[in-house]
């Protein structure tokens, strides 16, 4: 992507430039989603990751018709740990979007107004509370009795830590006047003084000291022996709920009152604010107290106070729309950059990584930092031997902020980005127009890419095979036991040899083979995600699975989409029916379509999919049905200005009822809902004989009135 496009504001871009920038950002975001959620090996800080998403969202808002490529991951934590039973959350435990300045907070409030179609004079109350740097936990009460506790895990499945949570004094065993089923959520943390005392005890006993209070709390909570947990002083702030049979309040502030009435601790610095100015004032006030607080915090969380508005706002794939975390500035430190290494990802992207003289930032020793791509290396002028400022925001690999040029060695030379892949094949690397990265063109012949794809295949949001992580994949690849995904399901043939391997015993091999057998049955959406197709994250994989239903139907459609009467490229101006259907899926654009078509155009990948079919039971996608929804499985299109809700809210509600929301009208559309000033979509629906509903008729249908 030309450097001048990276500097342009959204308002300065034309539609062609916007498409180029969005495509490049989508690729970069998908890469970092995989590094963070799929590999537990992030390359950038929270701050920089969110900056990428914010730029994408800003451009997408200005050019909604072409914003179809980003597929954000929905993973929000770590995979459940070995040794604990797994708990499936009845409602996902979500992550939060972040804001880093006053303008972003104001935009958050403005988005709420736009989504809910609120008048300018309508007040929007928000609750502001400190963001505790601890470990999220969920407490399940039945008939007022605490029956189960779990970690957040990956947001969908956590670890059963009931016995350990029972040792925390802040967690009541019984609640008076609680709903029949009530799930309380909050943060387990360790006070700073208790952390210092624990480390002193660890050092006196010859044990290892913890890096910070959060790590100490997490390590204490994940003890298999609950008596160890009981000896460590953990505490709990309650702030939210999950499943509940009867809503205990009408507002967030009212719910916090109920929590205190039941005996829970809530943060005393929490305030109800009536404006953005009040939010920012509370942020400043909390920030000024940060150093003297008895616990660690890393920001302030803002939540819409009215719970009925929270319901309407709902969530995106990774976070609620009704809450945001206003983070404190990232911590920085100086160190020496000793080397720049090149890493090759599963899509062939070459990423420069700075190897640093180890330095402590925010209580954590770091030795690696991301340099993103060659443009960033050139822009920041980074050289081996430089003294650099690094920045860390959260438990991630930090970023290089800038070079301290006055400390540069006289012998340093500019870094030359490699023209060939560092793999043994030394394949030439290319940088396509519109992309920020160079890629190795070796495909699966490149051992780096092949291994990275296998690592992705077994990652937690894909097949999630317990006991088969990155180290095991790397070792099995080197020994020729696993060279393609289907080989994983044939490892049983090597059972005797596996049990003779160093570090492996009979029980560990038996457990691994049992875990592999458990994953022979898998849903289509997870299967699609596991294949590691460029730009196809969890959200896009789910969209594809929902629209095509079965592997056979999806594969046939993708193969057909790549054909044109003239044999031209799939991006021809007149797409065939299969390509038109693909592009008609809301959030799927030409960039993603081309990557899907390219995937199925490779004979090797077709063979991999066919091989997996022989080994697996790939379940058709089951469309979620909300009660007796009359629109479950139906394809709907919204056009024109709606009177009672914004377009985003209307789409979100339709999807929650099991409908498929499309971006354009076709012969497969079931309903077109027209608002004021409906244009060409309404005309096309009439020409095709598609049912046209007014907003009132649509509301009556979905409400059953």
């Amino acid at each position: 992507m030309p450097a001048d496009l990276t500097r342009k504001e959204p308002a300065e871009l034309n539609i062609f430039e916007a498409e180029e920038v969005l495509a490049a950002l989508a690729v970069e975001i998908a890469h970092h989603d995989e590094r963070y959620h799929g590999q537990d090996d992030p390359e950038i800080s929270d701050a920089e990751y969110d900056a990428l998403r914010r730029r994408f969202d800003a451009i997408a808002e200005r050019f909604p018709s072409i914003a179809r490529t980003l597929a954000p991951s929905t993973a929000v934590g770590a995979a459940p740990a070995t040794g604990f039973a797994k708990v499936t959350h009845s409602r996902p435990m979500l992550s939060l979007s972040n804001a880093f300045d006053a303008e972003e907070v104001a935009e958050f409030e403005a988005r709420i107004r736009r989504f809910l179609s609120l008048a300018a004079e309508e007040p929007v109350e928000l609750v502001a509370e400190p963001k505790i740097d601890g470990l999220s936990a969920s407490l399940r009460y039945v008939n007022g009795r605490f029956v189960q506790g779990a970690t957040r895990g990956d947001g969908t499945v956590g670890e059963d830590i009931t016995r350990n949570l029972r040792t925390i004094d802040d967690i009541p065993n019984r609640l008076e006047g609680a709903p029949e089923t009530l799930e309380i959520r909050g943060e387990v943390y360790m006070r700073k003084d208790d952390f210092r005392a624990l480390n002193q005890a660890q050092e006196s006993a010859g044990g290892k000291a913890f890096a910070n209070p959060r790590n100490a709390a997490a390590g204490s909570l994940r003890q298999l022996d609950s008596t160890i947990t009981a000896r460590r002083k953990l505490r709990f702030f309650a702030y939210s709920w999950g499943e509940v049979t009867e809503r205990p309040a009408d507002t967030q502030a009212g719910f916090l009152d109920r929590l205190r009435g039941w005996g829970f601790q809530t943060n005393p610095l929490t305030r109800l604010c009536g404006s953005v100015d009040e939010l920012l004032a509370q942020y400043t006030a909390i920030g000024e107290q940060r150093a003297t607080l008895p616990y660690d915090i890393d920001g302030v969380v803002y939540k819409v106070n009215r719970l009925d508005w929270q319901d309407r706002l709902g969530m995106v794939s990774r976070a609620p729309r009704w809450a945001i975390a206003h983070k404190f500035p990232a911590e920085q430190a100086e160190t020496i950059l000793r080397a720049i290494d090149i890493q090759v990802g599963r899509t062939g992207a070459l990423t420069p990584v700075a190897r640093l003289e180890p330095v402590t930032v925010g209580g954590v020793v770091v030795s690696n930092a991301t340099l993103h791509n060659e443009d960033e290396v050139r822009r920041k002028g980074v050289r081996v031997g430089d003294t650099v400022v690094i920045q860390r925001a959260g438990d991630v690999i930090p970023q290089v902020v800038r070079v301290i040029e006055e400390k540069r060695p006289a012998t340093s030379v500019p870094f030359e980005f490699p023209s060939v892949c560092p793999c043994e094949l030394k394949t030439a690397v290319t940088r396509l127009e519109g992309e920020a990265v160079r890629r190795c063109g070796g495909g699966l012949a490149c051992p780096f890419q092949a291994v990275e794809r296998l690592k992705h295949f077994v990652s937690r949001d894909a097949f999630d095979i317990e006991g088969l992580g990155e180290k095991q994949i790397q070792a099995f690849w080197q020994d020729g036991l696993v060279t393609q995904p289907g080989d994983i399901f044939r490892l049983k043939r090597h059972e005797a040899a596996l049990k003779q391997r160093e570090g492996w015993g009979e029980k560990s091999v038996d457990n691994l083979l049992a875990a592999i057998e458990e994953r022979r049955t898998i849903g289509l959406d997870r299967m699609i995600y596991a294949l590691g197709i460029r730009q196809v994250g969890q959200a896009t994989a789910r969209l594809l699975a929902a629209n095509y239903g079965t592997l056979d139907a999806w594969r046939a459609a993708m193969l057909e989409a790549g054909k044109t009467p003239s044999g031209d490229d799939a991006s021809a101006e007149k797409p065939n029916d299969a390509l038109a259907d693909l592009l008609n899926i809301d959030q799927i654009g030409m960039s993603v379509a081309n990557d899907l078509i390219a995937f199925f155009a490779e004979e090797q990948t077709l063979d991999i999919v066919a091989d997996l079919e022989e080994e697996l039971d790939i379940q058709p996608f089951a469309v979620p049905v909300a009660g007796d929804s009359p629109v479950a499985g139906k394809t709907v299109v919204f056009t024109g200005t709606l009177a009672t809700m914004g377009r985003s809210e209307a789409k979100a509600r339709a999807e929650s009822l099991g409908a498929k929301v499309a971006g354009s009208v076709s012969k497969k559309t079931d309903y077109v809902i027209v608002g004021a000033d409906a244009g060409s979509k309404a005309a096309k629906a009439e020409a095709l004989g598609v049912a046209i509903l007014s907003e009132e008729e649509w509301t009556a249908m979905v409400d059953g009135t």
Side-chain angles (χ1 to χ4, degrees):
M1 180 169 57
D4 60 332
L5 292 188
T6 66
R7 294 190 292 266
K8 280 190 175 183
E9 294 297 320
E12 299 174 329
L13 296 169
N14 62 42
I15 191 168
F16 302 107
E17 293 173 330
E19 185 170 19
E20 184 176 352
V21 176
L22 286 173
L25 286 170
V27 171
E28 191 170 2
I29 289 169
H31 168 73
H32 292 304
D33 277 343
E34 166 59 17
R35 296 293 301 193
Y36 185 90
H37 296 298
Q39 301 180 28
D40 284 329
D41 188 19
E43 299 171 332
I44 61 176
S45 69
D46 287 347
E48 191 150 2
Y49 176 82
D50 282 290
L52 291 174
R53 282 191 175 271
R54 292 198 304 276
R55 179 158 173 78
F56 185 95
D57 291 342
I59 298 171
E61 185 174 357
R62 182 171 175 79
F63 299 95
S65 64
I66 59 172
R68 300 286 190 255
T69 56
L70 182 59
S73 172
T74 57
V76 296
T82 303
F84 293 95
K86 294 182 179 180
V87 175
T88 300
H89 300 301
S90 54
R91 290 179 59 184
M93 295 185 72
L94 302 175
S95 180
L96 290 173
S97 298
N98 294 326
F100 293 92
D101 56 39
E103 289 183 2
E104 291 176 355
V105 175
E107 174 55 25
F108 166 65
E109 195 253 13
R111 284 199 305 271
I112 292 169
R113 290 185 175 279
R114 289 195 298 269
F115 191 95
L116 298 176
S117 299
L118 300 179
E121 63 274 10
E122 179 83 22
V124 176
E125 289 186 331
L126 296 110
V127 172
E129 62 185 79
K131 185 176 184 295
I132 307 300
D133 194 9
L135 190 76
S136 296
S138 175
L139 318 173
R140 187 175 183 84
Y141 290 82
V142 176
N143 294 321
R145 188 169 64 89
F146 177 40
V147 297
Q148 188 177 67
T151 64
R152 181 169 65 180
D154 64 5
T156 301
V157 178
E159 307 137 19
D160 188 333
I161 52 170
T162 307
R163 290 191 302 169
N164 291 350
L165 288 171
R166 288 190 189 279
T167 69
I168 301 176
D169 291 340
D170 289 344
I171 297 177
N173 282 320
R174 289 191 175 275
L175 307 180
E176 293 295 331
E180 180 181 352
T181 298
L182 174 64
E183 185 184 345
I184 301 296
R185 294 176 175 178
E187 203 81 3
V188 176
Y189 68 99
M190 184 176 287
R191 287 171 53 113
K192 296 175 183 177
D193 54 349
D194 293 330
F195 167 70
R196 288 190 291 270
L198 173 61
N199 266 355
Q200 289 172 1
Q202 289 284 102
E203 292 169 358
S204 298
K208 183 179 179 181
F210 290 100
N212 53 54
R214 185 192 184 281
N215 287 358
S220 302
L221 204 56
R222 288 194 171 100
Q223 292 293 322
L224 294 176
D225 183 354
S226 61
T227 62
I228 297 177
T229 307
R231 292 197 295 269
R232 299 178 180 178
K233 294 183 179 180
L234 298 179
R235 301 168 191 265
F236 183 78
F237 276 133
Y239 52 64
S240 186
W241 71 92
E243 182 183 4
V244 61
T245 51
E246 177 187 347
R247 179 178 287 170
D250 294 324
T251 63
Q252 185 74 29
F255 176 69
L256 294 176
D257 287 339
R258 290 297 303 274
L259 286 173
R260 288 187 286 271
W262 284 322
F264 287 101
Q265 298 295 315
T266 64
N267 196 285
L269 297 179
T270 301
R271 296 288 183 272
L272 179 62
C273 301
S275 67
V276 170
D277 287 343
E278 289 184 31
L279 289 177
L280 296 175
Q282 182 64 5
Y283 173 83
T284 300
I286 292 174
E288 289 172 349
Q289 300 177 65
R290 184 183 183 188
T292 59
L293 291 174
Y295 43 80
D296 282 340
I297 62 175
D298 57 8
V300 180
V301 177
Y302 308 137
K303 300 176 182 177
V304 170
N305 190 40
R306 283 180 52 170
L307 300 188
D308 59 334
W309 282 3
Q310 289 189 15
D311 290 341
R312 287 176 59 188
L313 287 160
M315 65 180 186
V316 291
S317 58
R318 64 188 294 270
R321 292 188 182 91
W322 44 266
I324 198 168
H326 189 178
K327 303 295 284 291
F328 291 130
E331 298 186 61
Q332 296 184 341
E334 288 185 19
T335 189
I336 306 296
L337 193 155
R338 295 300 186 191
I340 297 177
D341 292 343
I342 298 295
Q343 294 182 343
V344 183
R346 64 181 170 83
T347 63
L350 273 62
T351 302
V353 177
R355 304 304 182 190
L356 308 168
E357 187 72 26
V359 63
T360 300
V361 187
V364 175
V365 177
V366 296
S367 56
N368 303 316
T370 180
L371 292 169
H372 299 303
N373 52 56
E374 62 179 313
D375 286 347
E376 280 295 284
V377 174
R378 189 179 300 113
R379 184 178 69 82
K380 292 176 179 175
V382 178
R383 301 181 183 183
V384 174
D386 276 345
T387 298
V388 295
V389 175
I390 62 170
Q391 176 173 284
R392 177 179 175 272
D395 294 326
V396 295
I397 294 176
Q399 61 176 316
V400 172
V401 179
R402 61 186 174 86
V403 173
I404 303 177
E405 294 193 10
E406 56 268 28
K407 295 184 179 182
R408 169 171 286 165
T411 56
S412 70
V413 295
F415 177 72
E416 290 293 331
F417 208 86
S419 59
V420 297
C421 179
C423 74
E424 59 194 31
L425 301 177
K426 301 301 179 185
T427 309
V429 299
T430 58
R431 179 174 173 179
L432 299 178
E433 185 178 350
E435 291 197 2
V437 299
R438 289 185 181 268
R439 295 184 187 278
C440 167
L444 291 178
C446 170
F448 290 137
Q449 293 182 58
V451 172
E452 290 302 318
R453 288 197 188 191
L454 287 168
K455 291 176 181 177
H456 173 79
F457 186 85
V458 299
S459 63
R460 66 171 163 268
D461 295 318
F463 274 73
D464 189 23
I465 299 175
E466 190 169 329
L468 189 58
E470 292 191 10
K471 292 182 180 179
Q472 292 79 16
I473 285 291
Q474 186 75 49
F476 290 163
W477 163 269
Q478 290 175 345
D479 293 346
L481 294 175
V482 175
T483 60
Q484 63 179 20
D487 291 338
I488 293 169
F489 300 94
R490 292 185 284 270
L491 277 173
K492 190 170 180 60
R493 300 176 186 177
H494 307 284
E495 181 175 357
L498 289 173
K499 291 180 178 179
Q500 299 301 315
R501 292 175 70 90
E502 184 178 354
W504 290 78
E506 185 169 339
K507 184 175 181 180
S508 58
V509 172
D510 288 343
N511 289 341
L512 172 62
L513 296 178
I516 291 172
E517 289 303 308
E518 287 181 6
R519 291 295 184 265
R520 284 192 184 272
T521 298
I522 194 164
L524 177 61
D525 54 333
R526 291 186 75 140
M527 169 68 178
I528 293 173
Y529 174 72
L531 292 174
I533 305 168
R534 283 184 61 191
Q535 298 196 78
V536 179
Q538 288 177 275
T540 302
R542 187 173 178 83
L543 281 172
L544 293 167
N547 277 272
Y548 294 104
T550 67
L551 175 62
D552 284 342
W554 174 57
R555 175 173 47 199
M558 297 304 97
L559 290 169
E560 185 64 28
K563 300 176 182 177
T564 61
S566 61
D568 293 335
D569 184 81
S571 60
E573 292 185 5
K574 294 183 179 180
N576 60 35
D577 287 346
L579 179 54
D581 288 342
L582 176 61
L583 295 172
N584 194 43
I585 300 172
D586 197 39
Q587 301 177 45
I588 299 288
M590 198 65 240
S591 179
V592 174
N594 280 332
D595 282 337
L596 286 164
I597 291 166
F599 176 84
F600 280 100
E602 294 184 20
E603 186 173 346
Q604 188 174 8
T605 54
L606 283 174
D607 290 342
I608 287 173
V609 174
D611 182 46
L612 285 170
E613 261 191 304
E614 294 294 321
E615 298 291 341
L616 304 174
D617 177 14
I618 303 168
Q619 295 290 302
F621 185 82
V623 177
V625 178
D628 298 323
S629 169
V631 297
K634 303 293 185 182
T635 299
V636 301
V637 174
F638 292 91
T639 183
T641 303
L642 304 179
T644 61
M645 65 182 73
R647 182 81 65 83
S648 297
E649 182 178 358
K651 287 183 177 182
R653 178 149 192 235
E655 290 170 347
S656 72
L657 294 171
K660 305 172 188 177
V661 179
S664 59
V665 179
S666 73
K667 57 187 178 182
K668 294 186 178 181
T669 305
D670 293 294
Y671 301 110
V672 173
I673 298 89
V674 298
D677 303 320
S680 59
K681 291 180 182 179
K684 186 173 182 180
E686 187 173 1
L688 292 174
V690 174
I692 298 175
L693 302 177
S694 67
E695 184 178 352
E696 292 77 14
E697 290 170 331
W698 165 257
T699 302
M701 174 187 289
V702 297
D703 288 346
T705 57

